[in-house]
Amino acid sequence: MTKKILIIEDNVDIARLVMVNLRSKQMQVAHAADGSVGLKMAQTGGYDLVILDLMLPGMDGLDICRSLRNNKVFTPVLMLTARTSELDRVLGLEVGADDYLTKPFSVPELVARVNAILRRSDQYQIIAAQQDDAPLLLGELCVDPDKRRVLLGDDVIELTAREFDLLWHFASHPDRVFTRSQLLDSVWGYGHAGYEHTVNSHINRLRAKIEIDPAKPQYVITVWGVGYKFSGKQLAQGAG
């Protein structure tokens, strides 16, 4: 199936370069040069990926990404920016971007990252289909991959897109230990060398939302010197 890509980029030369190369890979590509227009297109266009510039007229990339996630639009986002500080890169990931590429970038790297994100998105859809979209019961937690909703008892837990993906990845592999690098590759969809602290911050926020006592987690367990795992005991309790 042909993938639909939306490019929100006010630099016409960069937008044209990206469009030409993605179309050469048999992808269907649309373009918006204004942030507000791009947001409307992203919300209604049924795209498989949004390539999003950070600095835009009308509305900046961070606000666009944040608005999409707050409105339950989980289309993958690849953020482009001329900014090079670590804080800017982390902010993009923190608000729900799936990957981050700084300008100037090489076309082969851009295409590789686009393909990696699309593959990861397809894999999550396959996993959800294999689960028959049935909610997964994990102790007091109920994780619904179809509605991308999490309940803790009777309470709805508001997770960001990345927090949900992280929880779903853990819960789909109970008791398997993942290193931070493995989680970056599996959940973020591309190797983010040097960004292991991003995993830590996401896990801390996830624990704050799903654990009764985040200091003594029952679900997401630290395996000292290695990484993290999801407790299989919770899966067994949910099945019981």
mmCIF file of all heavy atoms in Angstrom, residues 76-126:
data_model
loop_
_atom_site.group_PDB
_atom_site.id
_atom_site.type_symbol
_atom_site.label_atom_id
_atom_site.label_comp_id
_atom_site.label_asym_id
_atom_site.label_seq_id
_atom_site.Cartn_x
_atom_site.Cartn_y
_atom_site.Cartn_z
ATOM 1 N N PRO A 76 2.820 9.049 13.193
ATOM 2 C CA PRO A 76 4.243 9.247 13.498
ATOM 3 C C PRO A 76 4.747 10.592 12.980
ATOM 4 O O PRO A 76 4.304 11.074 11.924
ATOM 5 C CB PRO A 76 4.920 8.085 12.764
ATOM 6 C CG PRO A 76 3.856 7.034 12.656
ATOM 7 C CD PRO A 76 2.575 7.782 12.473
ATOM 8 N N VAL A 77 5.674 11.185 13.719
ATOM 9 C CA VAL A 77 6.230 12.496 13.379
ATOM 10 C C VAL A 77 7.751 12.417 13.336
ATOM 11 O O VAL A 77 8.388 11.950 14.287
ATOM 12 C CB VAL A 77 5.792 13.572 14.400
ATOM 13 C CG1 VAL A 77 6.549 14.876 14.148
ATOM 14 C CG2 VAL A 77 4.286 13.798 14.336
ATOM 15 N N LEU A 78 8.320 12.865 12.218
ATOM 16 C CA LEU A 78 9.768 13.054 12.092
ATOM 17 C C LEU A 78 10.014 14.555 12.082
ATOM 18 O O LEU A 78 9.559 15.268 11.188
ATOM 19 C CB LEU A 78 10.288 12.427 10.796
ATOM 20 C CG LEU A 78 11.736 12.742 10.407
ATOM 21 C CD1 LEU A 78 12.713 12.268 11.483
ATOM 22 C CD2 LEU A 78 12.084 12.121 9.066
ATOM 23 N N MET A 79 10.724 15.058 13.084
ATOM 24 C CA MET A 79 10.921 16.494 13.225
ATOM 25 C C MET A 79 12.235 16.930 12.586
ATOM 26 O O MET A 79 13.274 16.299 12.778
ATOM 27 C CB MET A 79 10.895 16.873 14.709
ATOM 28 C CG MET A 79 10.729 18.345 14.967
ATOM 29 S SD MET A 79 10.245 18.683 16.702
ATOM 30 C CE MET A 79 8.472 18.396 16.596
ATOM 31 N N LEU A 80 12.159 18.000 11.795
ATOM 32 C CA LEU A 80 13.339 18.592 11.170
ATOM 33 C C LEU A 80 13.606 19.947 11.797
ATOM 34 O O LEU A 80 12.675 20.702 12.075
ATOM 35 C CB LEU A 80 13.105 18.796 9.666
ATOM 36 C CG LEU A 80 12.772 17.581 8.815
ATOM 37 C CD1 LEU A 80 12.562 18.023 7.374
ATOM 38 C CD2 LEU A 80 13.872 16.543 8.903
ATOM 39 N N THR A 81 14.869 20.286 11.998
ATOM 40 C CA THR A 81 15.174 21.591 12.562
ATOM 41 C C THR A 81 16.603 21.989 12.287
ATOM 42 O O THR A 81 17.477 21.144 12.101
ATOM 43 C CB THR A 81 14.941 21.615 14.079
ATOM 44 O OG1 THR A 81 15.186 22.933 14.561
ATOM 45 C CG2 THR A 81 15.844 20.635 14.786
ATOM 46 N N ALA A 82 16.828 23.304 12.259
ATOM 47 C CA ALA A 82 18.191 23.829 12.143
ATOM 48 C C ALA A 82 18.845 23.932 13.510
ATOM 49 O O ALA A 82 20.037 24.169 13.630
ATOM 50 C CB ALA A 82 18.171 25.186 11.456
ATOM 51 N N ARG A 83 18.066 23.787 14.569
ATOM 52 C CA ARG A 83 18.621 23.863 15.918
ATOM 53 C C ARG A 83 19.433 22.617 16.225
ATOM 54 O O ARG A 83 19.071 21.510 15.841
ATOM 55 C CB ARG A 83 17.505 24.012 16.943
ATOM 56 C CG ARG A 83 16.720 25.316 16.819
ATOM 57 C CD ARG A 83 15.665 25.397 17.899
ATOM 58 N NE ARG A 83 14.940 26.653 17.857
ATOM 59 C CZ ARG A 83 13.957 26.980 18.692
ATOM 60 N NH1 ARG A 83 13.595 26.120 19.647
ATOM 61 N NH2 ARG A 83 13.344 28.123 18.587
ATOM 62 N N THR A 84 20.512 22.794 16.949
ATOM 63 C CA THR A 84 21.409 21.663 17.200
ATOM 64 C C THR A 84 21.608 21.368 18.678
ATOM 65 O O THR A 84 22.297 20.415 19.024
ATOM 66 C CB THR A 84 22.790 21.921 16.566
ATOM 67 O OG1 THR A 84 23.330 23.138 17.089
ATOM 68 C CG2 THR A 84 22.683 22.037 15.051
ATOM 69 N N SER A 85 21.004 22.159 19.566
ATOM 70 C CA SER A 85 21.236 21.910 20.985
ATOM 71 C C SER A 85 20.539 20.635 21.423
ATOM 72 O O SER A 85 19.493 20.253 20.884
ATOM 73 C CB SER A 85 20.738 23.087 21.829
ATOM 74 O OG SER A 85 19.329 23.069 21.933
ATOM 75 N N GLU A 86 21.129 19.971 22.403
ATOM 76 C CA GLU A 86 20.546 18.728 22.915
ATOM 77 C C GLU A 86 19.158 18.983 23.487
ATOM 78 O O GLU A 86 18.250 18.157 23.314
ATOM 79 C CB GLU A 86 21.449 18.132 23.994
ATOM 80 C CG GLU A 86 20.926 16.811 24.549
ATOM 81 C CD GLU A 86 21.857 16.223 25.596
ATOM 82 O OE1 GLU A 86 22.717 16.961 26.118
ATOM 83 O OE2 GLU A 86 21.705 15.033 25.897
ATOM 84 N N LEU A 87 18.951 20.122 24.133
ATOM 85 C CA LEU A 87 17.649 20.432 24.722
ATOM 86 C C LEU A 87 16.566 20.462 23.657
ATOM 87 O O LEU A 87 15.471 19.919 23.856
ATOM 88 C CB LEU A 87 17.703 21.776 25.450
ATOM 89 C CG LEU A 87 16.370 22.265 26.043
ATOM 90 C CD1 LEU A 87 15.833 21.267 27.072
ATOM 91 C CD2 LEU A 87 16.549 23.647 26.670
ATOM 92 N N ASP A 88 16.855 21.080 22.512
ATOM 93 C CA ASP A 88 15.867 21.144 21.439
ATOM 94 C C ASP A 88 15.552 19.756 20.905
ATOM 95 O O ASP A 88 14.397 19.438 20.620
ATOM 96 C CB ASP A 88 16.373 22.030 20.302
ATOM 97 C CG ASP A 88 16.407 23.497 20.680
ATOM 98 O OD1 ASP A 88 15.497 23.930 21.401
ATOM 99 O OD2 ASP A 88 17.337 24.200 20.268
ATOM 100 N N ARG A 89 16.566 18.923 20.762
ATOM 101 C CA ARG A 89 16.325 17.567 20.262
ATOM 102 C C ARG A 89 15.476 16.779 21.240
ATOM 103 O O ARG A 89 14.538 16.079 20.845
ATOM 104 C CB ARG A 89 17.667 16.855 20.020
ATOM 105 C CG ARG A 89 18.489 17.468 18.896
ATOM 106 C CD ARG A 89 19.614 16.552 18.484
ATOM 107 N NE ARG A 89 20.609 16.360 19.545
ATOM 108 C CZ ARG A 89 21.680 17.109 19.699
ATOM 109 N NH1 ARG A 89 21.903 18.129 18.884
ATOM 110 N NH2 ARG A 89 22.536 16.870 20.664
ATOM 111 N N VAL A 90 15.794 16.876 22.510
ATOM 112 C CA VAL A 90 15.036 16.141 23.525
ATOM 113 C C VAL A 90 13.599 16.646 23.600
ATOM 114 O O VAL A 90 12.661 15.865 23.730
ATOM 115 C CB VAL A 90 15.729 16.241 24.897
ATOM 116 C CG1 VAL A 90 14.832 15.675 25.995
ATOM 117 C CG2 VAL A 90 17.050 15.483 24.876
ATOM 118 N N LEU A 91 13.409 17.977 23.505
ATOM 119 C CA LEU A 91 12.060 18.535 23.553
ATOM 120 C C LEU A 91 11.185 17.952 22.452
ATOM 121 O O LEU A 91 10.015 17.631 22.672
ATOM 122 C CB LEU A 91 12.106 20.059 23.422
ATOM 123 C CG LEU A 91 12.331 20.857 24.700
ATOM 124 C CD1 LEU A 91 12.463 22.338 24.368
ATOM 125 C CD2 LEU A 91 11.191 20.630 25.689
ATOM 126 N N GLY A 92 11.756 17.810 21.257
ATOM 127 C CA GLY A 92 10.994 17.228 20.168
ATOM 128 C C GLY A 92 10.510 15.829 20.483
ATOM 129 O O GLY A 92 9.358 15.476 20.236
ATOM 130 N N LEU A 93 11.391 15.009 21.050
ATOM 131 C CA LEU A 93 11.022 13.646 21.429
ATOM 132 C C LEU A 93 10.035 13.638 22.589
ATOM 133 O O LEU A 93 9.120 12.825 22.642
ATOM 134 C CB LEU A 93 12.269 12.839 21.784
ATOM 135 C CG LEU A 93 13.281 12.648 20.656
ATOM 136 C CD1 LEU A 93 14.541 11.976 21.191
ATOM 137 C CD2 LEU A 93 12.696 11.835 19.525
ATOM 138 N N GLU A 94 10.217 14.572 23.521
ATOM 139 C CA GLU A 94 9.376 14.592 24.716
ATOM 140 C C GLU A 94 7.919 14.922 24.383
ATOM 141 O O GLU A 94 7.005 14.433 25.044
ATOM 142 C CB GLU A 94 9.912 15.611 25.731
ATOM 143 C CG GLU A 94 11.289 15.286 26.292
ATOM 144 C CD GLU A 94 11.273 14.143 27.274
ATOM 145 O OE1 GLU A 94 10.232 13.934 27.898
ATOM 146 O OE2 GLU A 94 12.285 13.451 27.396
ATOM 147 N N VAL A 95 7.669 15.781 23.391
ATOM 148 C CA VAL A 95 6.291 16.151 23.069
ATOM 149 C C VAL A 95 5.629 15.141 22.141
ATOM 150 O O VAL A 95 4.469 15.313 21.779
ATOM 151 C CB VAL A 95 6.201 17.565 22.454
ATOM 152 C CG1 VAL A 95 6.714 18.612 23.423
ATOM 153 C CG2 VAL A 95 6.920 17.651 21.112
ATOM 154 N N GLY A 96 6.353 14.086 21.761
ATOM 155 C CA GLY A 96 5.713 13.018 21.013
ATOM 156 C C GLY A 96 6.258 12.753 19.636
ATOM 157 O O GLY A 96 5.722 11.912 18.914
ATOM 158 N N ALA A 97 7.332 13.462 19.222
ATOM 159 C CA ALA A 97 7.946 13.166 17.931
ATOM 160 C C ALA A 97 8.587 11.777 17.974
ATOM 161 O O ALA A 97 9.068 11.334 19.017
ATOM 162 C CB ALA A 97 8.992 14.219 17.570
ATOM 163 N N ASP A 98 8.575 11.098 16.850
ATOM 164 C CA ASP A 98 9.128 9.747 16.791
ATOM 165 C C ASP A 98 10.610 9.738 16.435
ATOM 166 O O ASP A 98 11.312 8.784 16.753
ATOM 167 C CB ASP A 98 8.357 8.918 15.754
ATOM 168 C CG ASP A 98 6.910 8.715 16.164
ATOM 169 O OD1 ASP A 98 6.090 9.633 15.952
ATOM 170 O OD2 ASP A 98 6.596 7.654 16.712
ATOM 171 N N ASP A 99 11.062 10.785 15.778
ATOM 172 C CA ASP A 99 12.477 10.889 15.443
ATOM 173 C C ASP A 99 12.796 12.358 15.202
ATOM 174 O O ASP A 99 11.897 13.196 15.098
ATOM 175 C CB ASP A 99 12.804 10.056 14.195
ATOM 176 C CG ASP A 99 14.277 9.706 14.093
ATOM 177 O OD1 ASP A 99 15.070 10.191 14.931
ATOM 178 O OD2 ASP A 99 14.638 8.945 13.177
ATOM 179 N N TYR A 100 14.088 12.661 15.111
ATOM 180 C CA TYR A 100 14.542 14.032 15.084
ATOM 181 C C TYR A 100 15.763 14.101 14.182
ATOM 182 O O TYR A 100 16.720 13.354 14.364
ATOM 183 C CB TYR A 100 14.911 14.453 16.516
ATOM 184 C CG TYR A 100 14.976 15.930 16.761
ATOM 185 C CD1 TYR A 100 13.960 16.576 17.438
ATOM 186 C CD2 TYR A 100 16.067 16.677 16.340
ATOM 187 C CE1 TYR A 100 14.014 17.934 17.699
ATOM 188 C CE2 TYR A 100 16.133 18.040 16.577
ATOM 189 C CZ TYR A 100 15.108 18.668 17.258
ATOM 190 O OH TYR A 100 15.169 20.012 17.493
ATOM 191 N N LEU A 101 15.738 14.984 13.187
ATOM 192 C CA LEU A 101 16.846 15.098 12.247
ATOM 193 C C LEU A 101 17.209 16.569 12.093
ATOM 194 O O LEU A 101 16.348 17.410 11.826
ATOM 195 C CB LEU A 101 16.429 14.514 10.892
ATOM 196 C CG LEU A 101 17.513 14.278 9.836
ATOM 197 C CD1 LEU A 101 18.588 13.325 10.372
ATOM 198 C CD2 LEU A 101 16.888 13.709 8.572
ATOM 199 N N THR A 102 18.492 16.896 12.296
ATOM 200 C CA THR A 102 18.924 18.289 12.218
ATOM 201 C C THR A 102 19.396 18.629 10.814
ATOM 202 O O THR A 102 19.949 17.786 10.097
ATOM 203 C CB THR A 102 20.049 18.577 13.226
ATOM 204 O OG1 THR A 102 21.134 17.668 13.004
ATOM 205 C CG2 THR A 102 19.549 18.423 14.645
ATOM 206 N N LYS A 103 19.167 19.885 10.429
ATOM 207 C CA LYS A 103 19.635 20.397 9.141
ATOM 208 C C LYS A 103 21.066 20.915 9.291
ATOM 209 O O LYS A 103 21.392 21.482 10.334
ATOM 210 C CB LYS A 103 18.730 21.537 8.680
ATOM 211 C CG LYS A 103 17.266 21.193 8.571
ATOM 212 C CD LYS A 103 16.467 22.454 8.283
ATOM 213 C CE LYS A 103 14.969 22.200 8.304
ATOM 214 N NZ LYS A 103 14.186 23.441 8.107
ATOM 215 N N PRO A 104 21.904 20.756 8.274
ATOM 216 C CA PRO A 104 21.624 20.053 7.014
ATOM 217 C C PRO A 104 21.678 18.537 7.211
ATOM 218 O O PRO A 104 22.433 18.043 8.052
ATOM 219 C CB PRO A 104 22.759 20.518 6.104
ATOM 220 C CG PRO A 104 23.889 20.812 7.046
ATOM 221 C CD PRO A 104 23.253 21.351 8.303
ATOM 222 N N PHE A 105 20.874 17.818 6.464
ATOM 223 C CA PHE A 105 20.842 16.362 6.568
ATOM 224 C C PHE A 105 21.087 15.751 5.196
ATOM 225 O O PHE A 105 20.887 16.394 4.162
ATOM 226 C CB PHE A 105 19.496 15.885 7.112
ATOM 227 C CG PHE A 105 18.314 16.405 6.341
ATOM 228 C CD1 PHE A 105 17.882 15.782 5.180
ATOM 229 C CD2 PHE A 105 17.633 17.536 6.776
ATOM 230 C CE1 PHE A 105 16.807 16.270 4.464
ATOM 231 C CE2 PHE A 105 16.544 18.034 6.068
ATOM 232 C CZ PHE A 105 16.131 17.396 4.899
ATOM 233 N N SER A 106 21.536 14.511 5.194
ATOM 234 C CA SER A 106 21.735 13.808 3.929
ATOM 235 C C SER A 106 20.424 13.146 3.523
ATOM 236 O O SER A 106 19.664 12.665 4.381
ATOM 237 C CB SER A 106 22.840 12.751 4.051
ATOM 238 O OG SER A 106 22.402 11.659 4.838
ATOM 239 N N VAL A 107 20.159 13.128 2.245
ATOM 240 C CA VAL A 107 18.924 12.511 1.755
ATOM 241 C C VAL A 107 18.861 11.021 2.099
ATOM 242 O O VAL A 107 17.815 10.538 2.542
ATOM 243 C CB VAL A 107 18.772 12.735 0.239
ATOM 244 C CG1 VAL A 107 17.606 11.906 -0.319
ATOM 245 C CG2 VAL A 107 18.540 14.214 -0.044
ATOM 246 N N PRO A 108 19.943 10.250 1.931
ATOM 247 C CA PRO A 108 19.857 8.832 2.308
ATOM 248 C C PRO A 108 19.497 8.622 3.777
ATOM 249 O O PRO A 108 18.751 7.701 4.105
ATOM 250 C CB PRO A 108 21.268 8.298 2.000
ATOM 251 C CG PRO A 108 21.764 9.189 0.912
ATOM 252 C CD PRO A 108 21.227 10.543 1.242
ATOM 253 N N GLU A 109 20.025 9.477 4.673
ATOM 254 C CA GLU A 109 19.678 9.330 6.088
ATOM 255 C C GLU A 109 18.211 9.656 6.312
ATOM 256 O O GLU A 109 17.521 8.958 7.066
ATOM 257 C CB GLU A 109 20.548 10.226 6.959
ATOM 258 C CG GLU A 109 20.226 10.065 8.450
ATOM 259 C CD GLU A 109 21.105 10.891 9.360
ATOM 260 O OE1 GLU A 109 21.868 11.739 8.853
ATOM 261 O OE2 GLU A 109 21.019 10.690 10.589
ATOM 262 N N LEU A 110 17.702 10.701 5.667
ATOM 263 C CA LEU A 110 16.290 11.041 5.794
ATOM 264 C C LEU A 110 15.418 9.880 5.344
ATOM 265 O O LEU A 110 14.481 9.479 6.045
ATOM 266 C CB LEU A 110 15.971 12.283 4.967
ATOM 267 C CG LEU A 110 14.481 12.620 4.849
ATOM 268 C CD1 LEU A 110 13.924 13.096 6.176
ATOM 269 C CD2 LEU A 110 14.233 13.647 3.756
ATOM 270 N N VAL A 111 15.721 9.312 4.184
ATOM 271 C CA VAL A 111 14.926 8.200 3.663
ATOM 272 C C VAL A 111 15.010 6.995 4.590
ATOM 273 O O VAL A 111 14.010 6.316 4.842
ATOM 274 C CB VAL A 111 15.391 7.836 2.238
ATOM 275 C CG1 VAL A 111 14.681 6.571 1.753
ATOM 276 C CG2 VAL A 111 15.125 8.986 1.272
ATOM 277 N N ALA A 112 16.205 6.742 5.149
ATOM 278 C CA ALA A 112 16.372 5.621 6.071
ATOM 279 C C ALA A 112 15.509 5.806 7.309
ATOM 280 O O ALA A 112 14.877 4.859 7.794
ATOM 281 C CB ALA A 112 17.843 5.469 6.466
ATOM 282 N N ARG A 113 15.460 7.022 7.830
ATOM 283 C CA ARG A 113 14.665 7.270 9.027
ATOM 284 C C ARG A 113 13.176 7.186 8.724
ATOM 285 O O ARG A 113 12.397 6.677 9.533
ATOM 286 C CB ARG A 113 15.035 8.624 9.615
ATOM 287 C CG ARG A 113 16.473 8.669 10.127
ATOM 288 C CD ARG A 113 16.694 9.810 11.082
ATOM 289 N NE ARG A 113 18.084 9.867 11.517
ATOM 290 C CZ ARG A 113 18.462 10.362 12.673
ATOM 291 N NH1 ARG A 113 17.570 10.830 13.526
ATOM 292 N NH2 ARG A 113 19.736 10.400 13.007
ATOM 293 N N VAL A 114 12.767 7.710 7.582
ATOM 294 C CA VAL A 114 11.363 7.584 7.184
ATOM 295 C C VAL A 114 10.966 6.118 7.095
ATOM 296 O O VAL A 114 9.933 5.697 7.626
ATOM 297 C CB VAL A 114 11.125 8.296 5.834
ATOM 298 C CG1 VAL A 114 9.765 7.910 5.249
ATOM 299 C CG2 VAL A 114 11.209 9.805 6.007
ATOM 300 N N ASN A 115 11.790 5.322 6.434
ATOM 301 C CA ASN A 115 11.489 3.896 6.298
ATOM 302 C C ASN A 115 11.460 3.193 7.644
ATOM 303 O O ASN A 115 10.619 2.317 7.882
ATOM 304 C CB ASN A 115 12.509 3.224 5.371
ATOM 305 C CG ASN A 115 12.298 3.581 3.918
ATOM 306 O OD1 ASN A 115 11.178 3.847 3.487
ATOM 307 N ND2 ASN A 115 13.367 3.586 3.132
ATOM 308 N N ALA A 116 12.375 3.569 8.552
ATOM 309 C CA ALA A 116 12.407 2.949 9.877
ATOM 310 C C ALA A 116 11.132 3.251 10.656
ATOM 311 O O ALA A 116 10.559 2.377 11.297
ATOM 312 C CB ALA A 116 13.634 3.429 10.656
ATOM 313 N N ILE A 117 10.682 4.500 10.602
ATOM 314 C CA ILE A 117 9.458 4.871 11.314
ATOM 315 C C ILE A 117 8.259 4.134 10.731
ATOM 316 O O ILE A 117 7.397 3.619 11.471
ATOM 317 C CB ILE A 117 9.235 6.396 11.237
ATOM 318 C CG1 ILE A 117 10.321 7.127 12.023
ATOM 319 C CG2 ILE A 117 7.861 6.765 11.783
ATOM 320 C CD1 ILE A 117 10.287 8.633 11.842
ATOM 321 N N LEU A 118 8.163 4.060 9.407
ATOM 322 C CA LEU A 118 7.037 3.377 8.771
ATOM 323 C C LEU A 118 7.044 1.884 9.085
ATOM 324 O O LEU A 118 5.982 1.287 9.320
ATOM 325 C CB LEU A 118 7.080 3.609 7.258
ATOM 326 C CG LEU A 118 6.841 5.057 6.805
ATOM 327 C CD1 LEU A 118 7.054 5.179 5.296
ATOM 328 C CD2 LEU A 118 5.451 5.538 7.196
ATOM 329 N N ARG A 119 8.233 1.280 9.111
ATOM 330 C CA ARG A 119 8.316 -0.141 9.472
ATOM 331 C C ARG A 119 7.840 -0.370 10.893
ATOM 332 O O ARG A 119 7.097 -1.324 11.180
ATOM 333 C CB ARG A 119 9.755 -0.651 9.324
ATOM 334 C CG ARG A 119 10.183 -0.958 7.912
ATOM 335 C CD ARG A 119 11.438 -1.824 7.894
ATOM 336 N NE ARG A 119 12.536 -1.229 8.642
ATOM 337 C CZ ARG A 119 13.426 -0.396 8.124
ATOM 338 N NH1 ARG A 119 13.343 -0.038 6.846
ATOM 339 N NH2 ARG A 119 14.404 0.079 8.856
ATOM 340 N N ARG A 120 8.270 0.495 11.811
ATOM 341 C CA ARG A 120 7.870 0.356 13.210
ATOM 342 C C ARG A 120 6.367 0.511 13.353
ATOM 343 O O ARG A 120 5.718 -0.241 14.079
ATOM 344 C CB ARG A 120 8.616 1.385 14.058
ATOM 345 C CG ARG A 120 8.246 1.401 15.529
ATOM 346 C CD ARG A 120 8.388 0.059 16.188
ATOM 347 N NE ARG A 120 9.661 -0.564 15.891
ATOM 348 C CZ ARG A 120 9.915 -1.846 16.080
ATOM 349 N NH1 ARG A 120 8.977 -2.637 16.565
ATOM 350 N NH2 ARG A 120 11.096 -2.350 15.780
ATOM 351 N N SER A 121 5.794 1.467 12.649
ATOM 352 C CA SER A 121 4.353 1.678 12.703
ATOM 353 C C SER A 121 3.610 0.462 12.179
ATOM 354 O O SER A 121 2.609 0.016 12.763
ATOM 355 C CB SER A 121 3.977 2.917 11.878
ATOM 356 O OG SER A 121 2.579 3.133 11.893
ATOM 357 N N ASP A 122 4.102 -0.115 11.088
ATOM 358 C CA ASP A 122 3.471 -1.318 10.533
ATOM 359 C C ASP A 122 3.569 -2.485 11.508
ATOM 360 O O ASP A 122 2.628 -3.271 11.653
ATOM 361 C CB ASP A 122 4.140 -1.696 9.204
ATOM 362 C CG ASP A 122 3.772 -0.745 8.075
ATOM 363 O OD1 ASP A 122 2.780 -0.007 8.220
ATOM 364 O OD2 ASP A 122 4.492 -0.740 7.056
ATOM 365 N N GLN A 123 4.708 -2.607 12.186
ATOM 366 C CA GLN A 123 4.894 -3.713 13.131
ATOM 367 C C GLN A 123 3.926 -3.608 14.296
ATOM 368 O O GLN A 123 3.361 -4.616 14.747
ATOM 369 C CB GLN A 123 6.340 -3.735 13.631
ATOM 370 C CG GLN A 123 7.322 -4.206 12.572
ATOM 371 C CD GLN A 123 8.766 -4.037 12.989
ATOM 372 O OE1 GLN A 123 9.059 -3.603 14.102
ATOM 373 N NE2 GLN A 123 9.690 -4.361 12.097
ATOM 374 N N TYR A 124 3.684 -2.384 14.799
ATOM 375 C CA TYR A 124 2.726 -2.225 15.886
ATOM 376 C C TYR A 124 1.318 -2.578 15.437
ATOM 377 O O TYR A 124 0.540 -3.156 16.198
ATOM 378 C CB TYR A 124 2.770 -0.791 16.435
ATOM 379 C CG TYR A 124 3.810 -0.603 17.512
ATOM 380 C CD1 TYR A 124 4.912 0.217 17.304
ATOM 381 C CD2 TYR A 124 3.706 -1.263 18.732
ATOM 382 C CE1 TYR A 124 5.884 0.377 18.279
ATOM 383 C CE2 TYR A 124 4.678 -1.108 19.712
ATOM 384 C CZ TYR A 124 5.756 -0.285 19.481
ATOM 385 O OH TYR A 124 6.710 -0.137 20.446
ATOM 386 N N GLN A 125 0.983 -2.264 14.196
ATOM 387 C CA GLN A 125 -0.328 -2.618 13.689
ATOM 388 C C GLN A 125 -0.477 -4.127 13.566
ATOM 389 O O GLN A 125 -1.546 -4.676 13.838
ATOM 390 C CB GLN A 125 -0.562 -1.941 12.343
ATOM 391 C CG GLN A 125 -0.682 -0.432 12.422
ATOM 392 C CD GLN A 125 -0.890 0.216 11.069
ATOM 393 O OE1 GLN A 125 -1.362 -0.421 10.133
ATOM 394 N NE2 GLN A 125 -0.530 1.483 10.965
ATOM 395 N N ILE A 126 0.604 -4.791 13.153
ATOM 396 C CA ILE A 126 0.566 -6.255 13.052
ATOM 397 C C ILE A 126 0.389 -6.884 14.429
ATOM 398 O O ILE A 126 -0.408 -7.806 14.617
ATOM 399 C CB ILE A 126 1.857 -6.776 12.386
ATOM 400 C CG1 ILE A 126 1.882 -6.370 10.909
ATOM 401 C CG2 ILE A 126 1.961 -8.296 12.528
ATOM 402 C CD1 ILE A 126 3.205 -6.651 10.228
#
